[in-house]
Amino acid sequence: MDLHDFYYDLPKELIAQDPLLKRSDSRLMVIDRKNDTISHKKFSDMIEYLNEGDCLVLNDTKVIPARLFGVKEDTGAAVEVLLLKNKGDNVWEALVKPGKKMKVGANVSFGDGILKGEVTDVVEDGNRLIKFSYDGIWEEILDKIGQMPLPPYITHSLADKDRYQTVYAKYSGSAAAPTAGLHFTDELLERIEAKKVNIAKLTLHVGLGTFRPVKVEKIEEHHMHSEYYHISEEAAETINNAKKNGGRIISVGTTSTRTMESAADENGHINPGSGWTDIFIYPGYRFKIVDSLITNFHLPESTLIMLVSAFYDREKVLEAYKTAVEERYRFFSFGDAMFLL
């Protein structure tokens, strides 16, 4: 398939720059795939489409303040580092700017020296491996000097760091938020549980590979970067039992979807455990476990809109996006959502 098959026109003013005051006040486009109908709701109305015995699957990853600003120790030149992947032993794979100045052996100081790093290698796509040294607790240092890694299409500063986290975020490691989950509130989750809907939580640490532009004309030639995931025995059991008993598996976001589809066998049985996934889902893919999908509106020609097109129908997805533009929905990370039944 051609990359341009997933293009749509989006007025710049529809890109949401700020989160709404209340998370669940976002709008919700409900798409009935069996009847090819579209309804316009508020996100909190999503509970009307949940049935007892269904299983809602959430990604409980936590975004780290992964954007660091420092200076090269030899020249004092400004450097920006975006942490992407924890390689262990205080070594991180990172995106650096300007890359040309960050050669192997370069030393960088952050936060007036409370954190220091040395470039130890240059890897795929020009990313750097940086070994950090510090006194204290890593998470506390990041909270003090790091900034949330908002996508480049968001130009406003974020007043409250927690608004780029889901309310159920628990395990630190992501360079970007699983944005479909940003619409949930504690109150809405309590109402969902009261309706006897199962809730399962898995973890996929979101890297920038998911959001990087596709640079090949034939999408089949695109290669996804790998991301770490973990599915506990409890979560796997909850999902498998719901499926066995006739409940729908409702995936919140493309990250939860990719995790489950990576961990499921051909019979749609989820296997617990940890691993790395580089699964690329595009039209023609046969879903093994996911029955319904809650997701935000994604960038044109992105791997995310390709996944949604695989779940429904490419032309119908693009038609729904056209409707969203006409109805003035808000797009991307802080934008509105769709529920594909």
Side-chain angles (χ1 to χ4, degrees):
M1 300 189 76
D2 293 335
L3 179 60
H4 197 70
D5 290 339
F6 300 91
Y7 178 81
Y8 67 92
D9 285 316
L10 178 67
K12 196 173 181 179
E13 66 269 17
L14 294 185
I15 300 174
Q17 293 295 324
D18 303 289
L20 295 180
L21 195 60
K22 185 176 180 181
R23 293 172 183 261
S24 58
D25 279 349
S26 299
R27 295 171 71 187
L28 181 70
M29 176 183 283
V30 180
I31 298 177
D32 185 327
R33 292 183 296 153
K34 289 183 181 177
N35 300 313
D36 292 328
T37 59
I38 291 177
S39 304
H40 304 288
K41 301 285 185 175
K42 195 164 77 168
F43 190 84
S44 54
D45 296 330
M46 59 84 63
I47 196 168
E48 299 172 9
Y49 300 93
L50 303 181
N51 302 318
E52 181 178 339
D54 287 342
C55 182
L56 194 70
V57 183
L58 310 172
N59 181 5
D60 61 7
T61 187
K62 190 172 185 178
V63 186
I64 61 174
R67 180 165 276 122
L68 302 170
F69 295 92
V71 294
K72 282 192 69 184
E73 291 190 343
D74 57 348
T75 65
V79 173
E80 180 182 344
V81 171
L82 181 61
L83 304 176
L84 298 179
K85 192 181 294 183
N86 187 351
K87 309 294 282 188
D89 196 27
N90 292 327
V91 175
W92 282 76
E93 182 178 339
L95 182 68
V96 300
K97 295 179 184 177
K100 291 180 180 179
K101 295 182 179 179
M102 293 288 281
K103 297 177 181 177
V104 173
N107 290 286
V108 188
S109 175
F110 305 92
D112 294 325
I114 67 171
L115 178 66
K116 295 191 175 185
E118 179 184 355
V119 179
T120 60
D121 200 0
V122 179
V123 293
E124 189 179 5
D125 288 339
N127 292 344
R128 268 57 171 176
L129 294 185
I130 302 178
K131 185 171 180 63
F132 290 97
S133 58
Y134 52 89
D135 291 321
I137 299 173
W138 170 253
E139 289 79 11
E140 291 180 358
I141 290 172
L142 276 192
D143 280 339
K144 185 174 182 179
I145 66 174
Q147 295 186 13
M148 293 304 269
L150 295 179
Y153 49 75
I154 295 177
T155 58
H156 293 187
S157 59
L158 186 61
D160 180 1
K161 282 184 179 182
D162 286 341
R163 289 311 307 271
Y164 196 55
Q165 303 278 19
T166 62
V167 296
Y168 46 81
K170 186 174 183 180
Y171 299 105
S172 295
S174 277
T179 55
L182 295 178
H183 306 282
F184 287 90
T185 62
D186 289 324
E187 183 219 358
L188 180 56
L189 289 169
E190 288 172 6
R191 289 173 57 207
I192 290 169
E193 286 186 309
K195 201 172 180 179
K196 296 184 179 178
V197 173
N198 302 289
I199 294 179
K201 295 174 183 176
L202 47 75
T203 307
L204 180 129
H205 291 323
V206 188
L208 291 188
T210 305
F211 303 95
R212 277 196 166 135
V214 178
K215 296 181 179 178
V216 292
E217 285 304 315
K218 296 294 181 183
I219 67 167
E220 296 87 349
E221 298 172 5
H222 177 69
H223 174 68
M224 297 283 285
H225 288 243
S226 62
E227 295 167 314
Y228 175 82
Y229 74 86
H230 175 74
I231 302 177
S232 67
E233 290 189 7
E234 180 186 1
E237 184 178 3
T238 299
I239 296 167
N240 290 330
N241 284 342
K243 192 81 170 178
K244 182 176 68 176
N245 295 327
R248 292 173 301 162
I249 307 304
I250 302 167
S251 181
V252 177
T254 58
T255 61
S256 297
T257 301
R258 293 177 64 245
T259 304
M260 284 191 284
E261 292 296 320
S262 296
D265 62 23
E266 291 304 317
N267 297 316
H269 181 86
I270 290 286
N271 297 303
S274 303
W276 295 84
T277 179
D278 61 358
I279 189 171
F280 178 23
I281 297 176
Y282 55 86
Y285 178 84
R286 185 179 67 85
F287 285 83
K288 296 177 286 188
I289 181 72
V290 176
D291 298 306
S292 298
L293 173 63
I294 297 172
T295 188
N296 278 21
F297 292 91
H298 304 296
L299 276 72
E301 300 182 339
S302 65
T303 60
L304 305 178
I305 196 172
M306 293 172 193
L307 183 152
V308 177
S309 298
F311 192 71
Y312 185 22
D313 174 273
R314 182 186 65 84
E315 292 184 358
K316 291 172 182 176
V317 167
L318 291 176
E319 191 61 34
Y321 270 60
K322 183 180 177 183
T323 299
V325 170
E326 292 170 351
E327 296 289 331
R328 311 297 288 178
Y329 274 69
R330 301 164 76 247
F331 279 68
F332 305 163
S333 298
F334 288 139
D336 298 315
M338 64 164 56
F339 194 166
L340 295 123
L341 302 175

